[in-house]
PDB file of all heavy atoms in Angstrom:
ATOM      1  N   LEU A  30     -76.648 -59.923  35.588  1.00 88.00           N
ATOM      2  CA  LEU A  30     -75.632 -59.102  35.051  1.00 88.00           C
ATOM      3  C   LEU A  30     -74.255 -59.827  35.233  1.00 88.00           C
ATOM      4  O   LEU A  30     -74.197 -60.643  36.071  1.00 88.00           O
ATOM      5  CB  LEU A  30     -75.442 -57.754  35.749  1.00 88.00           C
ATOM      6  CG  LEU A  30     -76.721 -56.990  35.835  1.00 88.00           C
ATOM      7  CD1 LEU A  30     -76.566 -55.898  36.822  1.00 88.00           C
ATOM      8  CD2 LEU A  30     -77.140 -56.484  34.449  1.00 88.00           C
ATOM      9  N   PRO A  31     -73.266 -59.379  34.376  1.00 85.00           N
ATOM     10  CA  PRO A  31     -71.834 -59.947  34.673  1.00 85.00           C
ATOM     11  C   PRO A  31     -71.551 -59.458  36.139  1.00 85.00           C
ATOM     12  O   PRO A  31     -71.914 -58.414  36.599  1.00 85.00           O
ATOM     13  CB  PRO A  31     -71.010 -59.133  33.679  1.00 85.00           C
ATOM     14  CG  PRO A  31     -71.928 -58.624  32.633  1.00 85.00           C
ATOM     15  CD  PRO A  31     -73.212 -58.498  33.288  1.00 85.00           C
ATOM     16  N   HIS A  32     -70.787 -60.312  36.865  1.00 83.00           N
ATOM     17  CA  HIS A  32     -70.267 -59.934  38.153  1.00 83.00           C
ATOM     18  C   HIS A  32     -69.360 -58.676  38.039  1.00 83.00           C
ATOM     19  O   HIS A  32     -68.570 -58.665  37.047  1.00 83.00           O
ATOM     20  CB  HIS A  32     -69.605 -61.089  38.780  1.00 83.00           C
ATOM     21  CG  HIS A  32     -69.384 -60.934  40.348  1.00 83.00           C
ATOM     22  ND1 HIS A  32     -68.456 -60.110  40.840  1.00 83.00           N
ATOM     23  CD2 HIS A  32     -70.226 -61.288  41.343  1.00 83.00           C
ATOM     24  CE1 HIS A  32     -68.505 -60.068  42.092  1.00 83.00           C
ATOM     25  NE2 HIS A  32     -69.592 -60.755  42.456  1.00 83.00           N
ATOM     26  N   PRO A  33     -69.415 -57.813  38.975  1.00 83.00           N
ATOM     27  CA  PRO A  33     -68.452 -56.643  38.884  1.00 83.00           C
ATOM     28  C   PRO A  33     -67.023 -57.061  38.797  1.00 83.00           C
ATOM     29  O   PRO A  33     -66.247 -56.355  38.026  1.00 83.00           O
ATOM     30  CB  PRO A  33     -68.591 -55.955  40.212  1.00 83.00           C
ATOM     31  CG  PRO A  33     -69.981 -56.279  40.624  1.00 83.00           C
ATOM     32  CD  PRO A  33     -70.240 -57.680  40.109  1.00 83.00           C
ATOM     33  N   ARG A  34     -66.526 -58.219  39.309  1.00 80.00           N
ATOM     34  CA  ARG A  34     -65.205 -58.669  38.951  1.00 80.00           C
ATOM     35  C   ARG A  34     -64.789 -58.840  37.556  1.00 80.00           C
ATOM     36  O   ARG A  34     -63.814 -58.689  37.094  1.00 80.00           O
ATOM     37  CB  ARG A  34     -64.918 -59.891  39.807  1.00 80.00           C
ATOM     38  CG  ARG A  34     -64.753 -59.683  41.361  1.00 80.00           C
ATOM     39  CD  ARG A  34     -64.159 -60.879  42.103  1.00 80.00           C
ATOM     40  NE  ARG A  34     -64.789 -62.169  41.560  1.00 80.00           N
ATOM     41  CZ  ARG A  34     -65.800 -62.770  42.099  1.00 80.00           C
ATOM     42  NH1 ARG A  34     -66.376 -62.266  43.126  1.00 80.00           N
ATOM     43  NH2 ARG A  34     -66.209 -63.994  41.676  1.00 80.00           N
ATOM     44  N   GLU A  35     -65.955 -59.341  36.814  1.00 77.00           N
ATOM     45  CA  GLU A  35     -65.793 -59.552  35.381  1.00 77.00           C
ATOM     46  C   GLU A  35     -65.897 -58.156  34.660  1.00 77.00           C
ATOM     47  O   GLU A  35     -65.095 -57.985  33.745  1.00 77.00           O
ATOM     48  CB  GLU A  35     -66.929 -60.525  34.871  1.00 77.00           C
ATOM     49  CG  GLU A  35     -66.784 -60.783  33.428  1.00 77.00           C
ATOM     50  CD  GLU A  35     -67.867 -61.701  32.911  1.00 77.00           C
ATOM     51  OE1 GLU A  35     -68.524 -62.400  33.806  1.00 77.00           O
ATOM     52  OE2 GLU A  35     -68.087 -61.806  31.687  1.00 77.00           O
ATOM     53  N   THR A  36     -66.786 -57.400  34.992  1.00 75.00           N
ATOM     54  CA  THR A  36     -67.004 -56.104  34.343  1.00 75.00           C
ATOM     55  C   THR A  36     -65.626 -55.280  34.407  1.00 75.00           C
ATOM     56  O   THR A  36     -65.231 -54.751  33.438  1.00 75.00           O
ATOM     57  CB  THR A  36     -68.114 -55.334  34.978  1.00 75.00           C
ATOM     58  OG1 THR A  36     -69.284 -56.117  34.751  1.00 75.00           O
ATOM     59  CG2 THR A  36     -68.247 -53.942  34.218  1.00 75.00           C
ATOM     60  N   PHE A  37     -65.090 -55.301  35.553  1.00 74.00           N
ATOM     61  CA  PHE A  37     -63.890 -54.495  35.765  1.00 74.00           C
ATOM     62  C   PHE A  37     -62.517 -55.323  35.706  1.00 74.00           C
ATOM     63  O   PHE A  37     -61.509 -54.774  35.861  1.00 74.00           O
ATOM     64  CB  PHE A  37     -63.913 -53.851  37.194  1.00 74.00           C
ATOM     65  CG  PHE A  37     -65.004 -52.854  37.295  1.00 74.00           C
ATOM     66  CD1 PHE A  37     -66.116 -53.120  38.092  1.00 74.00           C
ATOM     67  CD2 PHE A  37     -64.912 -51.697  36.583  1.00 74.00           C
ATOM     68  CE1 PHE A  37     -67.089 -52.139  38.212  1.00 74.00           C
ATOM     69  CE2 PHE A  37     -65.968 -50.660  36.666  1.00 74.00           C
ATOM     70  CZ  PHE A  37     -67.089 -50.974  37.463  1.00 74.00           C
ATOM     71  N   ARG A  38     -62.707 -56.556  35.256  1.00 69.00           N
ATOM     72  CA  ARG A  38     -61.521 -57.483  34.956  1.00 69.00           C
ATOM     73  C   ARG A  38     -60.603 -57.476  36.143  1.00 69.00           C
ATOM     74  O   ARG A  38     -59.439 -57.416  36.049  1.00 69.00           O
ATOM     75  CB  ARG A  38     -60.750 -56.979  33.747  1.00 69.00           C
ATOM     76  CG  ARG A  38     -61.598 -57.027  32.418  1.00 69.00           C
ATOM     77  CD  ARG A  38     -61.937 -58.521  32.079  1.00 69.00           C
ATOM     78  NE  ARG A  38     -62.559 -58.442  30.736  1.00 69.00           N
ATOM     79  CZ  ARG A  38     -63.316 -59.341  30.350  1.00 69.00           C
ATOM     80  NH1 ARG A  38     -63.683 -60.371  31.147  1.00 69.00           N
ATOM     81  NH2 ARG A  38     -63.849 -59.331  29.097  1.00 69.00           N
ATOM     82  N   LEU A  39     -61.220 -57.706  37.359  1.00 61.00           N
ATOM     83  CA  LEU A  39     -60.413 -57.788  38.633  1.00 61.00           C
ATOM     84  C   LEU A  39     -59.865 -59.175  38.792  1.00 61.00           C
ATOM     85  O   LEU A  39     -58.832 -59.311  39.550  1.00 61.00           O
ATOM     86  CB  LEU A  39     -61.310 -57.399  39.792  1.00 61.00           C
ATOM     87  CG  LEU A  39     -61.804 -55.898  39.751  1.00 61.00           C
ATOM     88  CD1 LEU A  39     -62.775 -55.776  40.973  1.00 61.00           C
ATOM     89  CD2 LEU A  39     -60.707 -54.901  39.667  1.00 61.00           C
TER      90      LEU A  39
END
Side-chain angles (χ1 to χ4, degrees):
L30 308 166
H32 195 277
R34 287 191 318 268
E35 181 177 344
T36 300
F37 295 111
R38 300 293 190 207
L39 300 178

